[in-house]
Short mmCIF file of all heavy atoms in Angstrom, two decimals:
data_model
loop_
_atom_site.label_atom_id
_atom_site.label_comp_id
_atom_site.label_asym_id
_atom_site.label_seq_id
_atom_site.Cartn_x
_atom_site.Cartn_y
_atom_site.Cartn_z
N LYS Y 999 11.11 -5.88 3.37
CA LYS Y 999 11.62 -4.52 3.71
C LYS Y 999 11.63 -4.37 5.24
O LYS Y 999 10.74 -4.95 5.91
CB LYS Y 999 10.71 -3.51 3.06
CG LYS Y 999 10.94 -3.37 1.57
CD LYS Y 999 9.94 -2.34 1.05
CE LYS Y 999 10.07 -2.27 -0.52
NZ LYS Y 999 9.06 -1.34 -1.06
N PRO Y 1000 12.54 -3.61 5.70
CA PRO Y 1000 12.51 -3.31 7.20
C PRO Y 1000 11.27 -2.51 7.50
O PRO Y 1000 10.90 -1.60 6.75
CB PRO Y 1000 13.78 -2.52 7.41
CG PRO Y 1000 14.16 -1.98 6.09
CD PRO Y 1000 13.70 -2.96 5.05
N LYS Y 1001 10.67 -2.83 8.62
CA LYS Y 1001 9.46 -2.15 8.97
C LYS Y 1001 9.74 -0.71 9.42
O LYS Y 1001 10.64 -0.47 10.25
CB LYS Y 1001 8.75 -2.90 10.14
CG LYS Y 1001 7.97 -4.09 9.66
CD LYS Y 1001 7.21 -4.74 10.79
CE LYS Y 1001 6.46 -5.95 10.26
NZ LYS Y 1001 5.71 -6.62 11.39
N THR Y 1002 8.98 0.15 8.83
CA THR Y 1002 9.13 1.57 9.23
C THR Y 1002 7.79 2.08 9.71
O THR Y 1002 6.75 1.63 9.28
CB THR Y 1002 9.56 2.44 8.02
OG1 THR Y 1002 8.68 2.14 6.91
CG2 THR Y 1002 11.00 2.12 7.58
N GLU Y 1003 7.87 2.99 10.64
CA GLU Y 1003 6.64 3.59 11.21
C GLU Y 1003 5.99 4.50 10.22
O GLU Y 1003 6.67 5.27 9.53
CB GLU Y 1003 6.95 4.29 12.51
CG GLU Y 1003 7.19 3.33 13.66
CD GLU Y 1003 7.33 4.09 14.99
OE1 GLU Y 1003 7.06 5.32 15.03
OE2 GLU Y 1003 7.74 3.42 15.93
N LYS Y 1004 4.67 4.45 10.18
CA LYS Y 1004 3.95 5.34 9.30
C LYS Y 1004 4.03 6.78 9.85
O LYS Y 1004 3.93 6.95 11.05
CB LYS Y 1004 2.46 4.91 9.19
CG LYS Y 1004 2.27 3.74 8.29
CD LYS Y 1004 0.78 3.46 8.17
CE LYS Y 1004 0.55 2.28 7.25
NZ LYS Y 1004 -0.93 1.98 7.16
N PRO Y 1005 4.16 7.72 8.91
CA PRO Y 1005 4.19 9.14 9.39
C PRO Y 1005 2.78 9.51 9.90
O PRO Y 1005 1.79 9.27 9.28
CB PRO Y 1005 4.55 9.91 8.15
CG PRO Y 1005 4.19 9.05 7.02
CD PRO Y 1005 4.40 7.62 7.46
N LYS Y 1006 2.78 10.05 11.12
CA LYS Y 1006 1.49 10.40 11.70
C LYS Y 1006 1.00 11.74 11.15
O LYS Y 1006 1.77 12.69 11.05
CB LYS Y 1006 1.63 10.50 13.21
CG LYS Y 1006 1.75 9.14 13.88
CD LYS Y 1006 1.93 9.32 15.37
CE LYS Y 1006 2.10 7.91 16.06
NZ LYS Y 1006 2.32 8.06 17.47
N LYS Y 1007 -0.27 11.73 10.82
CA LYS Y 1007 -0.85 12.96 10.30
C LYS Y 1007 -1.23 13.90 11.43
O LYS Y 1007 -1.86 13.49 12.43
CB LYS Y 1007 -2.13 12.63 9.48
CG LYS Y 1007 -1.79 12.08 8.13
CD LYS Y 1007 -3.07 11.86 7.35
CE LYS Y 1007 -2.78 11.26 5.97
NZ LYS Y 1007 -4.04 10.92 5.25
N GLN Y 1008 -0.78 15.12 11.27
CA GLN Y 1008 -1.11 16.08 12.31
C GLN Y 1008 -2.28 16.95 11.85
O GLN Y 1008 -2.28 17.44 10.72
CB GLN Y 1008 0.08 16.97 12.65
CG GLN Y 1008 1.13 16.21 13.43
CD GLN Y 1008 2.29 17.08 13.81
OE1 GLN Y 1008 2.44 18.13 13.25
NE2 GLN Y 1008 3.04 16.65 14.76
N ARG Y 1009 -3.25 17.11 12.70
CA ARG Y 1009 -4.41 17.89 12.34
C ARG Y 1009 -4.05 19.41 12.30
O ARG Y 1009 -3.33 19.87 13.17
CB ARG Y 1009 -5.55 17.68 13.33
CG ARG Y 1009 -6.30 16.42 13.09
CD ARG Y 1009 -7.51 16.42 13.97
NE ARG Y 1009 -8.36 15.27 13.67
CZ ARG Y 1009 -9.49 15.00 14.27
NH1 ARG Y 1009 -9.96 15.84 15.23
NH2 ARG Y 1009 -10.21 13.98 13.95
N LYS Y 1010 -4.61 20.05 11.28
CA LYS Y 1010 -4.40 21.48 11.19
C LYS Y 1010 -5.42 22.14 12.11
O LYS Y 1010 -6.64 21.93 11.98
CB LYS Y 1010 -4.59 21.96 9.72
CG LYS Y 1010 -3.41 21.56 8.86
CD LYS Y 1010 -3.64 22.05 7.46
CE LYS Y 1010 -2.47 21.62 6.58
NZ LYS Y 1010 -2.74 22.01 5.15
N ILE Y 1011 -4.95 23.02 12.95
CA ILE Y 1011 -5.86 23.71 13.87
C ILE Y 1011 -6.22 25.06 13.23
O ILE Y 1011 -5.32 25.89 12.98
CB ILE Y 1011 -5.22 23.94 15.25
CG1 ILE Y 1011 -4.82 22.55 15.81
CG2 ILE Y 1011 -6.15 24.62 16.18
CD1 ILE Y 1011 -3.75 22.61 16.89
N LYS Y 1012 -7.49 25.23 13.01
CA LYS Y 1012 -7.95 26.47 12.40
C LYS Y 1012 -8.11 27.55 13.49
O LYS Y 1012 -8.75 27.29 14.56
CB LYS Y 1012 -9.33 26.26 11.69
CG LYS Y 1012 -9.16 25.52 10.39
CD LYS Y 1012 -10.51 25.41 9.70
CE LYS Y 1012 -10.37 24.65 8.39
NZ LYS Y 1012 -11.68 24.50 7.77
N VAL Y 1013 -7.52 28.70 13.20
CA VAL Y 1013 -7.66 29.82 14.16
C VAL Y 1013 -8.79 30.67 13.72
O VAL Y 1013 -8.78 31.32 12.68
CB VAL Y 1013 -6.38 30.62 14.22
CG1 VAL Y 1013 -6.48 31.72 15.25
CG2 VAL Y 1013 -5.20 29.73 14.53
N LYS Y 1014 -9.89 30.68 14.49
CA LYS Y 1014 -11.04 31.46 14.12
C LYS Y 1014 -10.86 32.90 14.64
O LYS Y 1014 -10.31 33.16 15.68
CB LYS Y 1014 -12.29 30.88 14.77
CG LYS Y 1014 -12.72 29.58 14.11
CD LYS Y 1014 -13.96 29.03 14.77
CE LYS Y 1014 -14.38 27.76 14.14
NZ LYS Y 1014 -15.55 27.19 14.83
N ALA Y 1015 -11.40 33.84 13.79
CA ALA Y 1015 -11.31 35.25 14.14
C ALA Y 1015 -12.14 35.58 15.37
O ALA Y 1015 -11.81 36.40 16.14
CB ALA Y 1015 -11.77 36.06 12.96
N ALA Y 1016 -13.28 34.84 15.49
CA ALA Y 1016 -14.17 35.10 16.59
C ALA Y 1016 -13.60 34.59 17.90
O ALA Y 1016 -13.96 35.04 19.00
CB ALA Y 1016 -15.53 34.48 16.34
N ALA Y 1017 -12.69 33.63 17.81
CA ALA Y 1017 -12.16 32.98 19.03
C ALA Y 1017 -11.19 33.89 19.76
O ALA Y 1017 -11.06 33.81 20.99
CB ALA Y 1017 -11.48 31.71 18.67
N GLU Y 1018 -10.55 34.79 19.03
CA GLU Y 1018 -9.50 35.65 19.63
C GLU Y 1018 -10.01 36.56 20.72
O GLU Y 1018 -9.43 36.67 21.80
CB GLU Y 1018 -8.77 36.43 18.54
CG GLU Y 1018 -7.81 35.56 17.77
CD GLU Y 1018 -7.13 36.31 16.64
OE1 GLU Y 1018 -7.41 37.51 16.50
OE2 GLU Y 1018 -6.37 35.66 15.91
N PRO Y 1019 -11.14 37.35 20.46
CA PRO Y 1019 -11.64 38.23 21.52
C PRO Y 1019 -11.94 37.51 22.79
O PRO Y 1019 -11.72 38.07 23.88
CB PRO Y 1019 -12.85 38.87 20.90
CG PRO Y 1019 -12.87 38.52 19.46
CD PRO Y 1019 -11.84 37.49 19.20
N LYS Y 1020 -12.45 36.27 22.66
CA LYS Y 1020 -12.80 35.51 23.87
C LYS Y 1020 -11.56 35.28 24.71
O LYS Y 1020 -11.56 35.46 25.95
CB LYS Y 1020 -13.37 34.16 23.49
CG LYS Y 1020 -14.85 34.27 23.09
CD LYS Y 1020 -15.39 32.86 22.80
CE LYS Y 1020 -16.82 32.98 22.40
NZ LYS Y 1020 -17.37 31.65 22.02
N ALA Y 1021 -10.45 34.95 24.03
CA ALA Y 1021 -9.19 34.69 24.72
C ALA Y 1021 -8.73 35.96 25.42
O ALA Y 1021 -8.24 35.93 26.53
CB ALA Y 1021 -8.16 34.20 23.74
N VAL Y 1022 -8.89 37.08 24.69
CA VAL Y 1022 -8.49 38.33 25.26
C VAL Y 1022 -9.28 38.68 26.53
O VAL Y 1022 -8.76 39.14 27.55
CB VAL Y 1022 -8.70 39.50 24.20
CG1 VAL Y 1022 -8.44 40.85 24.87
CG2 VAL Y 1022 -7.71 39.27 23.06
N LYS Y 1023 -10.59 38.43 26.41
CA LYS Y 1023 -11.44 38.67 27.60
C LYS Y 1023 -10.97 37.89 28.81
O LYS Y 1023 -10.93 38.41 29.94
CB LYS Y 1023 -12.90 38.28 27.27
CG LYS Y 1023 -13.64 39.39 26.54
CD LYS Y 1023 -15.07 38.90 26.23
CE LYS Y 1023 -15.79 39.97 25.42
NZ LYS Y 1023 -17.11 39.50 25.09
N LYS Y 1024 -10.63 36.61 28.54
CA LYS Y 1024 -10.18 35.73 29.65
C LYS Y 1024 -8.94 36.37 30.32
O LYS Y 1024 -8.79 36.46 31.52
CB LYS Y 1024 -9.87 34.38 29.15
CG LYS Y 1024 -11.13 33.52 29.03
CD LYS Y 1024 -10.76 32.14 28.54
CE LYS Y 1024 -12.03 31.32 28.34
NZ LYS Y 1024 -11.72 29.99 27.82
N THR Y 1025 -8.01 36.79 29.42
CA THR Y 1025 -6.74 37.36 29.95
C THR Y 1025 -7.02 38.63 30.74
O THR Y 1025 -6.45 38.89 31.78
CB THR Y 1025 -5.75 37.60 28.81
OG1 THR Y 1025 -6.42 38.42 27.84
CG2 THR Y 1025 -5.22 36.35 28.21
N GLU Y 1026 -7.98 39.42 30.19
CA GLU Y 1026 -8.34 40.64 30.87
C GLU Y 1026 -8.88 40.42 32.25
O GLU Y 1026 -8.50 41.08 33.24
CB GLU Y 1026 -9.41 41.40 30.05
CG GLU Y 1026 -8.82 42.20 28.90
CD GLU Y 1026 -9.88 42.87 28.08
OE1 GLU Y 1026 -11.05 42.72 28.42
OE2 GLU Y 1026 -9.50 43.52 27.08
N LYS Y 1027 -9.71 39.37 32.33
CA LYS Y 1027 -10.29 39.03 33.62
C LYS Y 1027 -9.19 38.67 34.59
O LYS Y 1027 -9.21 39.09 35.75
CB LYS Y 1027 -11.23 37.82 33.47
CG LYS Y 1027 -12.63 38.25 32.99
CD LYS Y 1027 -13.56 37.00 32.89
CE LYS Y 1027 -14.89 37.44 32.37
NZ LYS Y 1027 -15.75 36.23 32.19
N LYS Y 1028 -8.26 37.84 34.05
CA LYS Y 1028 -7.15 37.43 34.92
C LYS Y 1028 -6.35 38.63 35.41
O LYS Y 1028 -5.98 38.74 36.55
CB LYS Y 1028 -6.22 36.45 34.16
CG LYS Y 1028 -6.77 35.05 34.08
CD LYS Y 1028 -5.82 34.18 33.28
CE LYS Y 1028 -6.40 32.77 33.12
NZ LYS Y 1028 -5.52 31.96 32.29
N ASP Y 1029 -6.15 39.59 34.43
CA ASP Y 1029 -5.37 40.77 34.79
C ASP Y 1029 -6.05 41.61 35.85
O ASP Y 1029 -5.46 42.09 36.78
CB ASP Y 1029 -5.21 41.63 33.53
CG ASP Y 1029 -4.21 40.99 32.54
OD1 ASP Y 1029 -3.54 40.02 32.97
OD2 ASP Y 1029 -4.13 41.47 31.40
N THR Y 1030 -7.36 41.72 35.67
CA THR Y 1030 -8.13 42.50 36.66
C THR Y 1030 -8.08 41.83 38.03
O THR Y 1030 -7.95 42.52 39.04
CB THR Y 1030 -9.62 42.62 36.23
OG1 THR Y 1030 -10.10 41.32 35.87
CG2 THR Y 1030 -9.77 43.58 35.05
N ALA Y 1031 -8.15 40.50 38.03
CA ALA Y 1031 -8.10 39.77 39.29
C ALA Y 1031 -6.74 39.98 39.96
O ALA Y 1031 -6.66 40.24 41.20
CB ALA Y 1031 -8.30 38.28 39.06
N LYS Y 1032 -5.70 39.92 39.12
CA LYS Y 1032 -4.33 40.16 39.67
C LYS Y 1032 -4.17 41.55 40.23
O LYS Y 1032 -3.58 41.78 41.29
CB LYS Y 1032 -3.28 39.90 38.58
CG LYS Y 1032 -3.01 38.43 38.31
CD LYS Y 1032 -1.99 38.27 37.24
CE LYS Y 1032 -1.74 36.79 36.97
NZ LYS Y 1032 -0.82 36.61 35.87
N ALA Y 1033 -4.73 42.52 39.49
CA ALA Y 1033 -4.64 43.91 39.88
C ALA Y 1033 -5.32 44.11 41.21
O ALA Y 1033 -4.85 44.85 42.12
CB ALA Y 1033 -5.29 44.80 38.85
N ALA Y 1034 -6.50 43.48 41.36
CA ALA Y 1034 -7.25 43.62 42.61
C ALA Y 1034 -6.45 43.04 43.80
O ALA Y 1034 -6.41 43.64 44.89
CB ALA Y 1034 -8.61 42.84 42.48
N GLU Y 1035 -5.79 41.95 43.56
CA GLU Y 1035 -4.94 41.32 44.63
C GLU Y 1035 -3.83 42.28 45.00
O GLU Y 1035 -3.52 42.45 46.15
CB GLU Y 1035 -4.38 40.01 44.08
CG GLU Y 1035 -5.39 38.87 44.11
CD GLU Y 1035 -4.79 37.61 43.50
OE1 GLU Y 1035 -3.57 37.58 43.20
OE2 GLU Y 1035 -5.54 36.63 43.36
N LYS Y 1036 -3.20 42.84 43.96
CA LYS Y 1036 -2.08 43.77 44.23
C LYS Y 1036 -2.53 44.98 45.07
O LYS Y 1036 -1.85 45.39 46.00
CB LYS Y 1036 -1.46 44.28 42.88
CG LYS Y 1036 -0.48 43.27 42.31
CD LYS Y 1036 0.11 43.86 41.04
CE LYS Y 1036 1.05 42.84 40.39
NZ LYS Y 1036 1.54 43.31 39.13
N LYS Y 1037 -3.69 45.42 44.74
CA LYS Y 1037 -4.23 46.58 45.44
C LYS Y 1037 -4.46 46.25 46.93
O LYS Y 1037 -4.09 47.01 47.83
CB LYS Y 1037 -5.59 47.01 44.81
CG LYS Y 1037 -5.44 47.94 43.65
CD LYS Y 1037 -6.80 48.33 43.09
CE LYS Y 1037 -6.63 49.22 41.89
NZ LYS Y 1037 -7.94 49.62 41.34
N SER Y 1038 -5.01 45.07 47.10
CA SER Y 1038 -5.32 44.61 48.49
C SER Y 1038 -3.98 44.51 49.26
O SER Y 1038 -3.90 44.88 50.45
CB SER Y 1038 -6.05 43.28 48.47
OG SER Y 1038 -5.27 42.29 47.85
N GLU Y 1039 -2.95 44.00 48.58
CA GLU Y 1039 -1.66 43.84 49.23
C GLU Y 1039 -1.05 45.22 49.56
O GLU Y 1039 -0.49 45.45 50.63
CB GLU Y 1039 -0.70 43.11 48.29
CG GLU Y 1039 -0.91 41.63 48.30
CD GLU Y 1039 -0.03 40.92 47.26
OE1 GLU Y 1039 0.79 41.61 46.66
OE2 GLU Y 1039 -0.20 39.71 47.10
N ALA Y 1040 -1.25 46.18 48.64
CA ALA Y 1040 -0.72 47.53 48.88
C ALA Y 1040 -1.36 48.17 50.08
O ALA Y 1040 -0.70 48.90 50.87
CB ALA Y 1040 -0.92 48.36 47.62
N LYS Y 1041 -2.65 47.88 50.24
CA LYS Y 1041 -3.39 48.47 51.37
C LYS Y 1041 -2.89 47.87 52.67
O LYS Y 1041 -2.78 48.58 53.71
CB LYS Y 1041 -4.90 48.16 51.24
CG LYS Y 1041 -5.57 49.12 50.25
CD LYS Y 1041 -7.04 48.73 50.15
CE LYS Y 1041 -7.73 49.64 49.10
NZ LYS Y 1041 -9.08 49.22 48.89
N LYS Y 1042 -2.54 46.61 52.62
CA LYS Y 1042 -2.10 45.97 53.83
C LYS Y 1042 -0.76 46.55 54.34
O LYS Y 1042 -0.50 46.61 55.50
CB LYS Y 1042 -1.89 44.44 53.60
CG LYS Y 1042 -3.21 43.70 53.61
CD LYS Y 1042 -2.96 42.21 53.26
CE LYS Y 1042 -4.33 41.48 53.13
NZ LYS Y 1042 -4.12 40.11 52.66
N GLU Y 1043 0.07 46.94 53.37
CA GLU Y 1043 1.35 47.51 53.75
C GLU Y 1043 1.17 48.81 54.55
O GLU Y 1043 0.17 49.54 54.37
CB GLU Y 1043 2.22 47.83 52.49
CG GLU Y 1043 2.78 46.59 51.87
CD GLU Y 1043 3.56 46.93 50.61
OE1 GLU Y 1043 3.59 48.11 50.24
OE2 GLU Y 1043 4.13 45.99 50.04
N THR Y 1044 2.14 49.10 55.36
CA THR Y 1044 2.03 50.30 56.23
C THR Y 1044 2.11 51.57 55.34
O THR Y 1044 2.78 51.58 54.31
CB THR Y 1044 3.21 50.34 57.19
OG1 THR Y 1044 4.41 50.20 56.42
CG2 THR Y 1044 3.12 49.26 58.25
N PRO Y 1045 1.38 52.61 55.71
CA PRO Y 1045 1.35 53.83 54.92
C PRO Y 1045 2.70 54.48 54.81
O PRO Y 1045 3.02 55.07 53.77
CB PRO Y 1045 0.38 54.72 55.67
CG PRO Y 1045 0.20 54.11 56.98
CD PRO Y 1045 0.51 52.67 56.87
N LYS Y 1046 3.53 54.37 55.82
CA LYS Y 1046 4.87 55.01 55.76
C LYS Y 1046 5.74 54.39 54.66
O LYS Y 1046 6.39 55.12 53.91
CB LYS Y 1046 5.60 54.85 57.13
CG LYS Y 1046 5.11 55.83 58.15
CD LYS Y 1046 5.91 55.63 59.44
CE LYS Y 1046 5.35 56.60 60.51
NZ LYS Y 1046 6.05 56.38 61.79
N ALA Y 1047 5.75 53.06 54.65
CA ALA Y 1047 6.54 52.33 53.62
C ALA Y 1047 6.11 52.74 52.25
O ALA Y 1047 6.92 52.93 51.34
CB ALA Y 1047 6.40 50.83 53.84
N ALA Y 1048 4.77 52.85 52.07
CA ALA Y 1048 4.25 53.26 50.76
C ALA Y 1048 4.72 54.63 50.34
O ALA Y 1048 5.06 54.90 49.22
CB ALA Y 1048 2.70 53.19 50.84
N GLU Y 1049 4.77 55.55 51.35
CA GLU Y 1049 5.25 56.91 51.09
C GLU Y 1049 6.68 56.91 50.62
O GLU Y 1049 7.07 57.65 49.69
CB GLU Y 1049 5.06 57.79 52.34
CG GLU Y 1049 3.66 58.20 52.54
CD GLU Y 1049 3.47 58.91 53.87
OE1 GLU Y 1049 4.50 59.19 54.55
OE2 GLU Y 1049 2.30 59.16 54.23
N LYS Y 1050 7.53 56.08 51.33
CA LYS Y 1050 8.93 56.03 51.03
C LYS Y 1050 9.14 55.57 49.60
O LYS Y 1050 9.93 56.10 48.83
CB LYS Y 1050 9.64 55.06 51.94
CG LYS Y 1050 9.97 55.67 53.32
CD LYS Y 1050 10.67 54.66 54.19
CE LYS Y 1050 10.98 55.28 55.53
NZ LYS Y 1050 11.54 54.27 56.44
N LYS Y 1051 8.29 54.50 49.24
CA LYS Y 1051 8.39 54.00 47.89
C LYS Y 1051 8.09 55.06 46.80
O LYS Y 1051 8.74 55.14 45.78
CB LYS Y 1051 7.41 52.81 47.68
CG LYS Y 1051 7.99 51.49 48.16
CD LYS Y 1051 7.04 50.37 47.85
CE LYS Y 1051 7.60 49.04 48.36
NZ LYS Y 1051 6.63 47.93 48.11
N GLU Y 1052 7.08 55.84 47.12
CA GLU Y 1052 6.66 56.87 46.15
C GLU Y 1052 7.71 57.98 46.07
O GLU Y 1052 7.94 58.54 45.00
CB GLU Y 1052 5.35 57.45 46.57
CG GLU Y 1052 4.15 56.52 46.25
CD GLU Y 1052 2.85 57.06 46.77
OE1 GLU Y 1052 2.85 58.19 47.29
OE2 GLU Y 1052 1.88 56.35 46.65
N GLU Y 1053 8.29 58.29 47.18
CA GLU Y 1053 9.27 59.42 47.20
C GLU Y 1053 10.50 59.12 46.32
O GLU Y 1053 10.96 59.96 45.59
CB GLU Y 1053 9.73 59.68 48.65
CG GLU Y 1053 8.73 60.48 49.42
CD GLU Y 1053 9.10 60.59 50.90
OE1 GLU Y 1053 10.23 60.19 51.21
OE2 GLU Y 1053 8.26 61.02 51.66
N LYS Y 1054 10.99 57.88 46.50
CA LYS Y 1054 12.23 57.54 45.74
C LYS Y 1054 12.15 57.75 44.28
O LYS Y 1054 12.96 58.44 43.68
CB LYS Y 1054 12.65 56.10 46.08
CG LYS Y 1054 13.43 56.02 47.39
CD LYS Y 1054 13.92 54.59 47.62
CE LYS Y 1054 14.74 54.54 48.87
NZ LYS Y 1054 15.12 53.13 49.16
N PRO Y 1055 11.13 57.12 43.64
CA PRO Y 1055 11.08 57.28 42.17
C PRO Y 1055 10.86 58.76 41.80
O PRO Y 1055 11.40 59.19 40.75
CB PRO Y 1055 9.82 56.45 41.78
CG PRO Y 1055 9.22 55.96 43.03
CD PRO Y 1055 10.20 56.16 44.14
N ALA Y 1056 10.12 59.57 42.58
CA ALA Y 1056 9.94 60.95 42.24
C ALA Y 1056 11.27 61.71 42.24
O ALA Y 1056 11.51 62.51 41.31
CB ALA Y 1056 8.99 61.60 43.28
N ALA Y 1057 12.11 61.40 43.21
CA ALA Y 1057 13.43 62.08 43.30
C ALA Y 1057 14.28 61.71 42.06
O ALA Y 1057 14.94 62.55 41.46
CB ALA Y 1057 14.12 61.64 44.55
N GLU Y 1058 14.21 60.43 41.73
CA GLU Y 1058 14.97 59.94 40.60
C GLU Y 1058 14.49 60.63 39.31
O GLU Y 1058 15.35 61.02 38.46
CB GLU Y 1058 14.84 58.42 40.43
CG GLU Y 1058 15.62 57.66 41.46
CD GLU Y 1058 15.34 56.17 41.38
OE1 GLU Y 1058 14.60 55.74 40.47
OE2 GLU Y 1058 15.94 55.45 42.23
N LYS Y 1059 13.23 60.76 39.18
CA LYS Y 1059 12.67 61.40 37.95
C LYS Y 1059 13.18 62.83 37.82
O LYS Y 1059 13.53 63.27 36.72
CB LYS Y 1059 11.13 61.41 38.03
CG LYS Y 1059 10.50 60.10 37.59
CD LYS Y 1059 9.00 60.14 37.70
CE LYS Y 1059 8.39 58.79 37.35
NZ LYS Y 1059 6.96 58.83 37.55
N ASN Y 1060 13.17 63.51 38.92
CA ASN Y 1060 13.67 64.91 38.88
C ASN Y 1060 15.14 64.98 38.39
O ASN Y 1060 15.45 65.88 37.59
CB ASN Y 1060 13.59 65.54 40.28
CG ASN Y 1060 12.11 65.78 40.68
OD1 ASN Y 1060 11.26 65.90 39.79
ND2 ASN Y 1060 11.81 65.80 41.95
N GLU Y 1061 15.93 64.07 38.91
CA GLU Y 1061 17.32 64.03 38.47
C GLU Y 1061 17.47 63.83 36.97
O GLU Y 1061 18.22 64.48 36.29
CB GLU Y 1061 18.09 62.91 39.24
CG GLU Y 1061 18.37 63.32 40.67
CD GLU Y 1061 18.96 62.12 41.47
OE1 GLU Y 1061 19.30 61.12 40.81
OE2 GLU Y 1061 19.09 62.25 42.69
N VAL Y 1062 16.74 62.83 36.52
CA VAL Y 1062 16.73 62.50 35.06
C VAL Y 1062 16.35 63.71 34.23
O VAL Y 1062 16.98 63.98 33.22
CB VAL Y 1062 15.82 61.27 34.78
CG1 VAL Y 1062 15.71 61.09 33.27
CG2 VAL Y 1062 16.39 60.03 35.46
N LYS Y 1063 15.33 64.40 34.67
CA LYS Y 1063 14.85 65.55 33.90
C LYS Y 1063 15.97 66.64 33.84
O LYS Y 1063 16.19 67.25 32.81
CB LYS Y 1063 13.63 66.16 34.58
CG LYS Y 1063 12.33 65.38 34.19
CD LYS Y 1063 11.13 66.04 34.88
CE LYS Y 1063 9.88 65.28 34.55
NZ LYS Y 1063 8.69 65.85 35.26
N ALA Y 1064 16.61 66.81 34.95
CA ALA Y 1064 17.68 67.82 35.03
C ALA Y 1064 18.82 67.47 34.06
O ALA Y 1064 19.34 68.37 33.36
CB ALA Y 1064 18.23 67.90 36.47
N GLU Y 1065 19.18 66.20 34.02
CA GLU Y 1065 20.23 65.77 33.13
C GLU Y 1065 19.87 66.05 31.67
O GLU Y 1065 20.66 66.50 30.85
CB GLU Y 1065 20.54 64.29 33.31
CG GLU Y 1065 21.34 63.97 34.54
CD GLU Y 1065 21.47 62.47 34.81
OE1 GLU Y 1065 21.01 61.70 33.91
OE2 GLU Y 1065 22.02 62.11 35.85
N LYS Y 1066 18.65 65.66 31.33
CA LYS Y 1066 18.17 65.88 29.98
C LYS Y 1066 18.23 67.36 29.54
O LYS Y 1066 18.61 67.69 28.43
CB LYS Y 1066 16.69 65.41 29.81
CG LYS Y 1066 16.64 63.86 29.61
CD LYS Y 1066 15.19 63.44 29.39
CE LYS Y 1066 15.14 61.93 29.15
NZ LYS Y 1066 13.74 61.48 28.96
N LYS Y 1067 17.80 68.19 30.46
CA LYS Y 1067 17.83 69.66 30.16
C LYS Y 1067 19.25 70.11 29.92
O LYS Y 1067 19.52 70.90 28.98
CB LYS Y 1067 17.25 70.40 31.34
CG LYS Y 1067 15.77 70.47 31.33
CD LYS Y 1067 15.20 71.29 32.51
CE LYS Y 1067 13.69 71.22 32.54
NZ LYS Y 1067 13.17 71.93 33.73
#
Side-chain angles (χ1 to χ4, degrees):
Chain Y
K999 286 178 185 176
K1001 282 185 179 178
T1002 52
E1003 284 187 9
K1004 282 185 180 178
K1006 286 178 182 177
K1007 283 183 182 177
Q1008 286 184 343
R1009 280 189 175 181
K1010 286 180 183 177
I1011 301 159
K1012 286 182 181 177
V1013 182
K1014 288 180 181 177
E1018 284 177 4
K1020 280 182 182 177
V1022 172
K1023 276 180 184 177
K1024 279 181 182 177
T1025 52
E1026 279 178 1
K1027 277 181 183 177
K1028 282 179 183 177
D1029 289 348
T1030 49
K1032 280 180 182 176
E1035 283 176 6
K1036 278 182 183 176
K1037 275 182 184 178
S1038 62
E1039 282 175 5
K1041 280 178 185 176
K1042 281 175 187 175
E1043 284 178 358
T1044 52
K1046 282 182 182 177
E1049 282 173 7
K1050 280 179 183 175
K1051 275 184 182 177
E1052 284 175 5
E1053 280 172 10
K1054 276 185 179 177
E1058 283 174 5
K1059 277 179 185 176
N1060 289 336
E1061 285 174 8
V1062 171
K1063 278 181 182 177
E1065 283 174 6
K1066 278 184 180 178
K1067 277 181 183 176

